[in-house]
């Protein structure tokens, strides 16, 4: 199964991706996690991405597309994967389509986790306070506002992009965590 989890920062994509990954035995591919690892390891990609991420802006499309392309080539992705945090722009979605086609793969579902902005802000502020080892560089009020603005401007167009392709399913991300998981599983299994 190849799927995309789509939703704003703080929607719970990471939490749900871990659960879906365990259930179906497919890896979670989080561009945010991969980029944070690159920043920590001070690789060339990480050095270029560090300040962009701290501001809450998007890393250039070609950078994340390359990261995902390389990752999908790993043997553990053969039976499927969950894309978490990618694609985030229509250009990334189009690049992904070309990429999958060239690898003879096809996307099965795009699951949107819908959460209101007021709740997102509350959740991220809470996460910033509770994170062991200190908050993420982008979990502060200014970067958070930027991430939400970027999401609305650049990522929400993906919702109509995928609903036009009839693979979009929407799940209420404001229900409690277990309910969100079971709702995702039921939309995946009825797809
Ligand atoms: P969140 O969804 O909570 O904002 P992520 O961990 O998905 O967090 O992403 C953190 C940051 O990493 C983003 O604000 C952006 O700078 C960068 N990033 C992650 N994925 C992408 C992507 N697909 N395209 C561009 N930048 C990305």
């Amino acid at each position: 199964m190849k799927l995309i989890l789509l939703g704003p920062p703080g929607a719970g994509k990471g939490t749900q991706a871990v659960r879906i990954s365990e259930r179906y035995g497919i890896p979670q591919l989080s561009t945010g996690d991969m980029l944070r690892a690159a920043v920590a390891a001070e690789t060339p990609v990480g050095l270029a991405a560090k300040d962009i991420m701290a501001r809450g802006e998007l890393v250039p499309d070609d950078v994340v597309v390359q990261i995902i392309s390389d990752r999908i080539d790993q043997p553990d992705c053969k039976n499927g994967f969950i894309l978490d945090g990618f694609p985030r722009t229509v250009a990334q979605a189009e690049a992904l389509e070309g990429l999958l086609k060239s690898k003879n793969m096809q996307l099965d579902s795009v699951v949107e986790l819908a959460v209101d902005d007021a709740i997102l802000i509350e959740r991220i502020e809470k996460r910033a306070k509770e994170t062991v080892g200190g908050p993420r560089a982008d979990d502060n009020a200014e970067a958070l506002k930027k991430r939400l603005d970027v999401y609305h401007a650049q990522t929400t167009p993906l919702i109509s992009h995928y609903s036009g392709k009839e693979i979009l399913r929407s799940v209420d991300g404001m229900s409690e965590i277990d309910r969100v998981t079971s709702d995702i599983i039921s939309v995946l299994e009825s797809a």
Side-chain angles (χ1 to χ4, degrees), residues 95-187:
L96 174 66
E97 277 143 37
L99 215 144
L100 292 178
K101 211 169 171 192
S102 74
K103 300 182 200 286
N104 271 318
M105 291 177 166
Q106 206 183 339
L107 211 55
D108 298 295
S109 300
V110 178
V111 178
E112 179 209 2
L113 285 183
V115 179
D116 295 340
D117 276 9
I119 292 180
L120 298 171
I121 294 170
E122 250 171 55
R123 286 186 182 177
I124 295 180
E125 284 170 349
K126 187 160 170 268
R127 174 170 83 188
K129 282 192 203 112
E130 289 172 355
T131 308
V132 188
R136 263 168 49 175
D138 59 354
D139 275 350
N140 58 72
E142 201 184 335
L144 171 57
K145 184 180 178 303
K146 183 75 194 176
R147 280 153 64 206
L148 283 176
D149 290 348
V150 166
Y151 181 79
H152 291 303
Q154 308 216 54
T155 309
T156 52
L158 288 181
I159 294 171
S160 52
H161 178 84
Y162 286 120
S163 67
K165 294 184 185 298
E166 296 180 357
I167 49 172
L168 183 77
R169 311 277 179 273
S170 189
V171 163
D172 182 352
M174 293 172 283
S175 311
E176 53 103 15
I177 295 182
D178 289 342
R179 175 64 195 271
V180 176
T181 309
S182 60
D183 286 351
I184 294 174
I185 291 167
S186 66
V187 297

Side-chain angles (χ1 to χ4, degrees), residues 8-10 13 31-33 35-36 52-53 56-59 64 85-88 92 127 136 138 147:
K13 298 186 296 293
T31 41
D33 287 349
L35 287 167
R36 278 185 289 277
I52 300 175
M53 291 174 73
E57 294 168 5
L58 293 184
V59 171
V64 287
F86 178 91
R88 251 178 161 90
Q92 290 178 18
R127 174 170 83 188
R136 263 168 49 175
D138 59 354
R147 280 153 64 206

Side-chain angles (χ1 to χ4, degrees), residues 5-40:
L5 267 185
L6 192 64
K13 298 186 296 293
T15 305
Q16 298 299 333
V18 169
R19 293 166 164 229
I20 302 301
S21 160
E22 281 166 4
R23 178 168 176 114
Y24 295 103
I26 51 175
Q28 166 198 12
L29 312 188
S30 159
T31 41
D33 287 349
M34 292 187 256
L35 287 167
R36 278 185 289 277
V39 170

